[in-house]
Amino acid sequence: MMYEIAEFLITGILLGFAAGISPGPLMAITISESLQHGSKEGFKVAISPLITDLLIVSAVIYILMHFQQQNSVIALISLAGALYLTHLGIASLRTKNISIEVSNLKKESLKKGILANFLNPHPYLFWIAIGGPILFRAAEVDRLAQVMFVIGFYALLVGSKVVIALFVGKSRDFLKSKYYLHLFRSLGILYLLFALFFIQQGLVLLGLHIWR
């Protein structure tokens, strides 16, 4: 059982890291605040998912619980998650440069981060198509597996943005470096691997055991 719990922790860490360094509204505001007001303000934006996602995750899980015993519905959600991950993976591999606009709004870092995360569709898509099914699988192992997945995910989601805010606050050229671009592209392979896993899970739930 400990091996399976560790597996969910690692899954959370990998997905959290991938989500944490990917460009998006929250990343843009993290960088903007770090550039304009210093890393400390970037940190405030980085922690905003810890506030907003409590409501987002609770709402999504509440909805999905009504379908938990319906394998066909969960299977379709898993396959939708695979499509979403495949899209992210291909987009990451095709990335040639990373450009994030910097705004000049007044300093209200935490408020900006909370608002951006609530209005950003990605957290909802992630927890409906990816995070939700993983939590249901973890529940079949042990409640601790669910906890470790969530801890791993948010530790890296928030932690990676905090590190980026730190680097950006000290060096404006960090995001233009080839190292960040190569790291972001490598996420494409990670996304595609998880997509294969979700395809397998979806097919198994539909009773189609194509591979084991």
Side-chain angles (χ1 to χ4, degrees):
M1 180 182 292
M2 292 306 298
Y3 173 80
E4 292 175 305
I5 292 174
E7 180 183 339
F8 282 101
L9 173 62
I10 293 170
T11 298
I13 287 172
L14 292 175
L15 287 174
F17 178 68
I21 72 169
S22 297
L26 198 63
M27 175 66 83
I29 297 174
T30 300
I31 292 167
S32 175
E33 295 300 294
S34 298
L35 288 174
Q36 294 179 73
H37 309 298
S39 297
K40 183 178 178 181
E41 295 303 312
F43 296 163
K44 293 179 182 179
V45 180
I47 66 170
S48 62
L50 298 178
I51 299 172
T52 60
D53 284 22
L54 179 62
L55 291 175
I56 294 173
V57 175
S58 297
V60 169
I61 297 303
Y62 176 77
I63 294 171
L64 291 180
M65 280 179 64
H66 290 78
F67 303 103
Q68 188 175 5
Q69 303 304 320
Q70 301 179 35
N71 285 350
S72 59
V73 175
I74 298 300
L76 291 176
I77 291 174
S78 293
L79 293 175
L83 287 176
Y84 181 50
L85 286 165
T86 300
H87 165 71
L88 293 176
I90 293 173
S92 296
L93 290 171
R94 288 181 174 177
T95 300
K96 295 181 178 179
N97 57 69
I98 297 174
S99 176
I100 299 178
E101 295 182 4
V102 176
S103 65
N104 292 307
L105 299 175
K106 61 182 180 179
K107 183 170 70 172
E108 291 180 334
S109 304
L110 184 58
K111 181 179 178 181
K112 291 178 190 175
I114 291 173
L115 184 60
N117 214 44
F118 264 130
L119 298 178
N120 183 6
H122 291 292
Y124 301 92
L125 288 172
F126 174 85
W127 283 106
I128 290 173
I130 302 170
I134 290 177
L135 286 179
F136 286 145
R137 269 203 330 115
E140 296 174 0
V141 176
D142 190 81
R143 182 57 62 91
L144 182 58
Q146 292 180 306
V147 173
M148 297 309 288
F149 171 74
V150 172
I151 289 176
F153 180 78
Y154 282 103
L156 269 292
L157 173 69
V158 173
S160 57
K161 280 184 168 53
V162 166
V163 172
I164 287 174
L166 182 62
F167 275 104
V168 170
K170 293 184 177 181
S171 173
R172 293 177 177 234
D173 296 326
F174 171 67
L175 292 176
K176 298 178 182 179
S177 70
K178 62 180 181 181
Y179 304 107
Y180 183 70
L181 180 59
H182 291 330
L183 180 61
F184 181 67
R185 283 178 177 169
S186 68
L187 292 179
I189 299 173
L190 179 63
Y191 281 131
L192 292 175
L193 289 174
F194 275 113
L196 290 175
F197 169 76
F198 271 73
I199 290 172
Q200 181 192 30
Q201 178 175 278
L203 294 178
V204 168
L205 288 171
L206 289 173
L208 303 173
H209 302 268
I210 293 181
W211 75 84
R212 295 179 181 274

